Amino acid sequence: MKQNVLASLAVAVLLVLLAACSSSPAKNSPADSGAASNAASTTPEADTTAEEPAESATEDPKDRIIKLLANTPNHNDEVAPILATELEKLGYTLEFEVPTDSIIANKEVLEGFYDVAIGNHTAALNAFNEANNGNLVPAFLTTFAPNGIYSKKYASFDELPDGATISIPGDQANGGRPLIILQDAGLIKLKEGVDLTKLTPSDIIDNPRQFKFKTLDTAVLLRALDDLDAGFLYQSQRVKGGLALEDALGLESNEYKDFYIIAATRPELVGTPKLEALKQAYYSDAVKEFYKTRYDEGSIFYAW
């Protein structure tokens, strides 16, 4: 009997031990679940922390590439390689082309194929936007090379005879420029408030010396100077014709900011790092030194 009691006790102890072992996981499962929950909740946070530096380090390569159309006015086609060198120092790559036409260049920028076009002045850009339902804007000003009225027959406005014929360029954005020169010289008076891009001889309200005006295509302005009393010439035409800056009867004033060559771009790119880098490159000493080799003193003005 004593043996039976001992056996029963042994069985009871064994059952208690088995019950304790089987119940241990159940008692510990909330702690284990909490640890798993904590691990799950911290994993995305850890991943996010790891990804943030990667995002800043993996900047879109396109943001380091500037696509430029560099027109020939004020030698911007020759300035472009200098800009490429300066931009490389700033960590940017410049891809540039020389367009055959400023209107085409503006359209390429407007449609997003290029970031910026350099070669227009503000007045011309306004005319383009109006004609093409565009919204291009100046990112920054660059340079201004004053054009003038020249003559192969007379040395000054005082020598011009009454009724003299003066040539003016035929394109809308520039046709009023010689009229402004004449007004600044006190020879004519223009209507107030007329857009610079829309000035024509019909806007003259006082012409005491009865000057006549002949509208010509830009390409023939220099050649026509032989047959006219005086005429408007761009800087490049003046140089090609062997005329000095001092030969001008009258020059444009650098106060007319609308005639500075601009960097034209889309509104969303204004102030972006790559456009600011392009501006910094353009406003460099290297660009200014280049211009000193292309222009006489007083024949080029800088926006910086």
Side-chain angles (χ1 to χ4, degrees):
M1 171 118 185
K2 186 176 180 179
Q3 290 180 344
N4 290 337
V5 171
L6 291 174
S8 297
L9 288 172
V11 170
V13 170
L14 181 60
L15 289 173
V16 170
L17 291 173
L18 288 173
C21 290
S22 62
S23 64
S24 293
K27 288 167 68 176
N28 292 335
S29 61
D32 293 341
S33 176
S37 176
N38 288 338
S41 64
T42 56
T43 300
E45 185 177 338
D47 291 344
T48 301
T49 303
E51 288 174 0
E52 285 176 355
E55 288 177 359
S56 60
T58 57
E59 181 183 9
D60 188 344
K62 292 181 180 178
D63 291 336
R64 310 299 292 186
I65 297 174
I66 302 169
K67 295 185 177 181
L68 168 68
L69 287 171
N71 290 280
T72 55
N74 292 16
H75 299 281
N76 278 290
D77 53 331
E78 297 179 75
V79 170
I82 301 172
L83 297 178
T85 300
E86 294 299 308
L87 283 165
E88 188 176 2
K89 299 175 186 177
L90 300 174
Y92 289 85
T93 298
L94 182 69
E95 298 178 356
F96 69 90
E97 298 288 341
V98 179
T100 56
D101 182 271
S102 62
I103 302 299
I104 293 174
N106 288 342
K107 289 181 178 179
E108 292 283 291
V109 174
L110 187 62
E111 294 171 8
F113 297 110
Y114 288 84
D115 299 315
V116 60
I118 300 179
N120 291 287
H121 49 61
T122 303
L125 185 65
N126 290 342
F128 168 84
N129 282 335
E130 183 176 341
N132 295 275
N133 194 30
N135 66 340
L136 297 181
V137 295
F140 55 90
L141 303 179
T142 63
T143 59
F144 171 70
N147 305 303
I149 295 177
Y150 293 83
S151 175
K152 292 188 176 181
K153 301 175 182 178
Y154 307 101
S156 69
F157 279 138
D158 289 338
E159 292 184 12
L160 274 180
D162 291 349
T165 300
I166 303 170
S167 67
I168 62 175
D171 62 297
Q172 183 187 51
N174 294 298
R177 299 177 77 166
L179 303 181
I180 295 172
I181 295 173
L182 290 170
Q183 177 171 259
D184 288 346
L187 299 173
I188 65 171
K189 186 175 182 181
L190 299 166
K191 293 177 185 176
E192 294 184 3
V194 180
D195 190 319
L196 292 177
T197 66
K198 298 177 180 178
L199 279 173
T200 70
S202 64
D203 295 308
I204 299 173
I205 58 176
D206 190 19
N207 183 10
R209 296 178 58 182
Q210 299 300 306
F211 291 137
K212 299 179 181 66
F213 299 94
K214 189 174 184 63
T215 301
L216 298 173
D217 185 82
T218 298
V220 301
L221 286 172
L222 177 59
R223 186 166 66 250
L225 199 61
D226 292 328
D227 303 317
L228 300 174
D229 296 306
F232 180 84
L233 294 181
Y234 292 99
Q235 281 269 15
S236 58
Q237 294 171 318
R238 185 265 298 175
V239 173
K240 185 177 180 180
L243 297 166
L245 196 68
E246 295 76 15
D247 293 329
L249 307 187
L251 290 170
E252 292 178 305
S253 168
N254 66 327
E255 294 179 359
Y256 293 104
K257 300 301 183 184
D258 279 349
F259 292 124
Y260 274 69
I261 299 298
I262 60 171
T265 189
R266 298 182 298 282
E268 66 270 19
L269 291 180
V270 175
T272 58
K274 65 180 181 179
L275 263 292
E276 288 300 305
L278 180 61
K279 178 180 179 180
Q280 182 177 340
Y282 206 107
Y283 286 14
S284 66
D285 290 339
V287 170
K288 188 171 285 189
E289 287 302 315
F290 162 78
Y291 273 121
K292 289 179 180 178
T293 69
R294 291 292 185 274
Y295 288 91
D296 303 330
E297 185 177 354
S299 63
I300 187 75
F301 294 89
Y302 309 99
W304 66 98

